[in-house]
């Protein structure tokens, strides 16, 4: 079988391209000639598979060679289609949104790097002195501004949501016929995520009810730190980071880690059906817990942002929650961790602004953590007595007796004559219970079937940030980190399949339709000579 040149980053000289592939703009009008090179390669592949020379190859070698040749075959098919569209292009007038007359007409070429390799696009450009040139065929095909195709951009975005930038470079090189540098991967990820906010605003404006929904709307917000480059830290943290001298060359010490992070605000909104249970069921053994069938979150959406202020993310969470139930027929519940600023924003700002009857529940897991720390003031950290002590007080708290528990543990510390340092975790736990007593009415929450633990938001922090961004030695740029958070949020929330077509429509408006008078290039009327503008036919065989 004859050898061929894979056109990717190896495309360096036009003379080599002409020699290997022939002229990119066919001179023969016969439509079959546009795809002649693809047919030629296909026949070569078939002849090669039927030859005796392949009999000694194992199936793995066959797969590898067919894949390599398959990319080139698909590249030639795509090139043939672009050549056909270029040949169909008819000269005419091109009126931009500036209404300037574009009297100069010239055929231009540009490269487009696709998942199959690099192709050449020929099209007519309309311009004039000191006027931005317009290429109507680019608008027809929705070509991107940069050289990377939308198909390749989507592949990059999906991989970035699951892997690091470096890993994405390797995956693209192994699974496509294209090569993309690490910096370009980061830029493409940022471009792919640029319509994140507009997508969800569009969804909320649709006011379409979800097919499946629960009786309770749950809102939860948390914070998680991401290690950033010093230039992308918030001003106070950056000042502290610059003031501290680095103690070790290859590792950040405890204080340095704290001053190297920028807090991301993580939010989650979902609906769930009521789950009525008793305090005794909550403190039951692990085996009994497994027997209980719990309702699952419905329509869960999770997202995070390093750029936006926490108050803005909380506002977005309320907007998303109200989108689930605009008439407020459902019960609204907010799960919090006791952060005073967060509580104030939930209760005094957004709930009052929306006239929303909101039940605020303090996460029981945070309460349990305080109880364990207090227990170790009385018992050793391996003592079973500490476990019994925590279980008894947890049961009382779940029964609505948090103030009694706070007073009791303080009294025990006094009776045992613990020193100020020894009783510090006890006093801290007691203060936490007393200060948040209004949000510890677990006996009422359990009877109403409300969730009392922030498992969803904790899982969101893990899936969005810790598993993906908490990489040893990694320091993120603000642009790269925000893009990853947005793409990963779409991926985890199950919205990617809807987001990508929306993004492509927005790209078409931004890059093309907005440049023309009335938003429509003249080519839509001129190109009807051979290419229908109606819906394209489907392939007889799914790719």
């Amino acid at each position: 079988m004859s050898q061929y040149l894979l056109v990717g980053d190896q495309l360096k000289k036009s003379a080599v391209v002409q020699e290997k592939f022939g002229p990119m703009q066919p001179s023969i009008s016969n439509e079959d000639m546009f795809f002649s090179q693809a047919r030629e390669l296909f026949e070569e592949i078939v002849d090669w598979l039927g030859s005796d020379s392949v009999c000694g190859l194992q199936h793995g070698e066959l797969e590898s060679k067919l894949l390599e040749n398959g990319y080139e075959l698909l590249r030639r098919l795509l090139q043939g289609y672009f050549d056909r569209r270029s040949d169909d292009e008819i000269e005419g007038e091109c009126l931009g949104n500036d209404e300037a007359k574009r009297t100069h007409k010239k055929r231009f070429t540009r490269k487009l790097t696709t998942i199959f390799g690099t192709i050449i696009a020929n099209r007519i450009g309309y311009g004039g002195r000191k006027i931005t040139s317009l290429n109507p065929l680019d608008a027809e095909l929705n070509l991107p501004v940069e050289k990377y195709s939308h198909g390749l951009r989507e592949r990059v975005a999906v991989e970035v949501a699951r892997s690091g930038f470096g890993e994405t470079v390797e995956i693209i090189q192994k699974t496509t016929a294209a090569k993309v540098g690490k910096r370009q991967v980061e830029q493409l990820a940022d471009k792919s995520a640029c319509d994140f906010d507009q997508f969800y605003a569009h969804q909320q404006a649709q006011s379409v009810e979800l097919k499946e929904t629960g009786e309770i709307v749950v809102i939860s917000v948390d914070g998680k730190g991401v290690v950033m480059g010093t230039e992308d830290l918030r001003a106070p943290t950056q000042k502290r980071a610059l003031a501290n001298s680095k103690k070790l060359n290859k590792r950040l010490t405890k204080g340095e880690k704290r001053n190297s992070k920028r807090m991301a605000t993580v939010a989650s909104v979902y609906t769930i059906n009521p789950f009525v249970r008793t305090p005794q069921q909550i403190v039951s053994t692990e085996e009994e817990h497994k027997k209980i069938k719990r309702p699952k979150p419905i329509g869960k959406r999770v997202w995070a942002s390093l750029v936006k202020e926490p108050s803005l993310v909380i506002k977005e969470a309320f907007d998303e929650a109200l989108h689930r139930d605009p008439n407020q027929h459902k019960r609204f519940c907010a799960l919090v961790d006791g952060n005073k600023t967060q509580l104030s924003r939930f209760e005094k700002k957004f709930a009052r602004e929306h006239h929303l009857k909101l039940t605020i529940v303090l996460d029981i897991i945070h309460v349990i953590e305080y109880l364990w720390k207090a227990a170790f003031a009385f018992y050793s950290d391996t003592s079973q007595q500490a476990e019994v002590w925590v279980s008894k007080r947890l049961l009382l708290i779940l029964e609505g007796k948090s103030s009694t528990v706070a007073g009791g543990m303080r009294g025990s510390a006094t009776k045992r004559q613990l020193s100020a340092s020894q009783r510090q975790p006890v006093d801290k736990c007691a203060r936490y219970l007393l200060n948040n007593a209004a949000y510890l009415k677990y006996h009422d929450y359990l009877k109403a079937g409300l969730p009392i633990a922030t498992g969803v938001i904790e899982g969101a922090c893990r899936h969005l940030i810790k598993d993906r961004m908490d990489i040893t030695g990694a320091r993120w740029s603000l642009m790269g980190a925000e893009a990853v958070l947005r793409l990963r949020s779409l991926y985890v929330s199950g919205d990617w399949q809807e987001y990508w077509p929306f993004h492509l429509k927005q790209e078409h408006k931004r890059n093309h339709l907005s440049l023309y008078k009335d938003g429509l290039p003249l080519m839509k009327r001129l190109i009807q000579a051979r290419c229908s503008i109606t819906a394209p036919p489907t392939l007889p065989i799914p790719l």
Side-chain angles (χ1 to χ4, degrees), residues 149-412:
S149 71
H150 285 146
L152 185 58
R153 184 193 293 187
E154 182 182 14
R155 185 75 66 88
V156 167
V158 170
E159 293 303 332
V160 163
R162 298 187 293 193
S163 311
F165 292 138
E167 290 86 346
T168 299
V169 171
E170 296 178 6
I171 291 170
I172 293 299
Q173 187 172 349
K174 289 179 180 178
T175 61
T176 73
K179 291 183 179 180
V180 185
K182 188 174 180 180
R183 180 177 295 178
Q184 285 70 37
V185 163
E186 187 173 350
Q187 292 171 348
L188 288 176
D190 184 57
K191 286 179 178 291
S192 297
C194 69
D195 293 311
F196 179 87
D197 291 329
Q198 194 170 354
F199 168 71
Y200 282 108
H202 175 76
Q203 273 197 337
Q204 292 170 12
Q206 297 293 308
S207 298
V208 178
E209 292 187 7
L210 297 175
K211 294 180 181 179
E212 188 179 359
T213 183
E215 297 178 22
I216 303 168
V217 181
V218 184
I219 308 168
S220 190
V221 178
D222 203 351
K224 190 72 175 176
V226 178
V227 178
M228 309 291 292
T230 306
E231 66 279 2
D232 287 323
L233 295 171
R234 286 191 170 91
T237 312
Q238 187 183 69
K239 186 176 180 180
R240 291 193 298 270
L242 293 173
N244 291 338
S245 58
K246 195 173 180 181
K247 300 178 179 66
L248 299 176
N249 293 325
K250 298 182 179 180
R251 181 181 174 85
L252 293 174
T253 58
K254 190 174 182 180
E256 292 171 330
K257 288 180 182 179
R258 183 172 60 250
N259 293 326
S260 66
K261 290 186 176 182
R262 182 175 177 131
M263 292 301 294
T265 306
V266 186
S268 71
V269 176
Y270 60 93
T271 62
I272 196 168
N273 287 316
F275 179 41
V276 179
R277 58 262 197 235
T278 65
Q280 289 75 18
Q281 287 177 310
I282 301 297
V283 296
S284 60
T285 61
E286 188 175 345
E287 291 182 0
E288 292 175 332
H289 264 286
K290 292 180 180 179
K291 296 177 183 178
I292 302 174
K293 291 184 178 180
R294 302 171 180 273
K296 294 182 178 180
I298 302 170
K300 180 177 65 175
R301 180 195 164 194
V302 297
W303 72 101
S305 178
L306 284 156
V307 174
K308 298 173 185 175
E309 292 298 321
S311 59
L312 181 55
V313 177
I314 294 175
K315 180 184 180 301
E316 290 175 350
F318 271 85
D319 290 341
E320 180 67 27
L322 289 168
H323 167 59
R324 307 295 177 96
D325 182 28
N327 297 319
Q328 301 184 23
H329 293 153
K330 302 179 186 294
R331 183 160 186 176
F332 285 76
C333 170
L335 283 164
V336 299
D337 60 5
N339 181 282
K340 292 182 180 180
T341 305
Q342 188 184 104
L343 280 169
S344 176
R345 285 169 177 157
F346 267 104
E347 191 173 30
K348 295 180 181 179
K349 184 174 175 58
F350 295 107
R352 291 182 184 178
E353 281 183 5
H354 294 286
H355 305 287
L356 180 65
K357 188 178 179 181
L358 181 69
T359 302
I360 298 179
V361 180
L362 190 67
D363 175 33
I364 192 64
I365 303 300
H366 282 76
V367 175
I368 294 172
E369 289 176 358
Y370 276 94
L371 286 176
W372 273 109
K373 290 177 182 178
F376 294 147
F378 302 115
Y379 308 101
S380 66
D381 55 2
T382 58
S383 172
Q384 289 186 350
Q385 290 177 298
E387 189 174 19
V388 173
W389 187 91
V390 169
S391 296
K392 286 182 178 180
R393 278 143 191 84
L394 175 59
L395 183 60
L396 290 172
I397 291 171
L398 292 171
E399 291 173 347
K401 302 172 183 177
S402 58
S403 299
T404 303
V405 172
M409 66 175 64
R410 277 179 169 172
S412 296

Side-chain angles (χ1 to χ4, degrees), residues 135 164 474:
N135 303 101

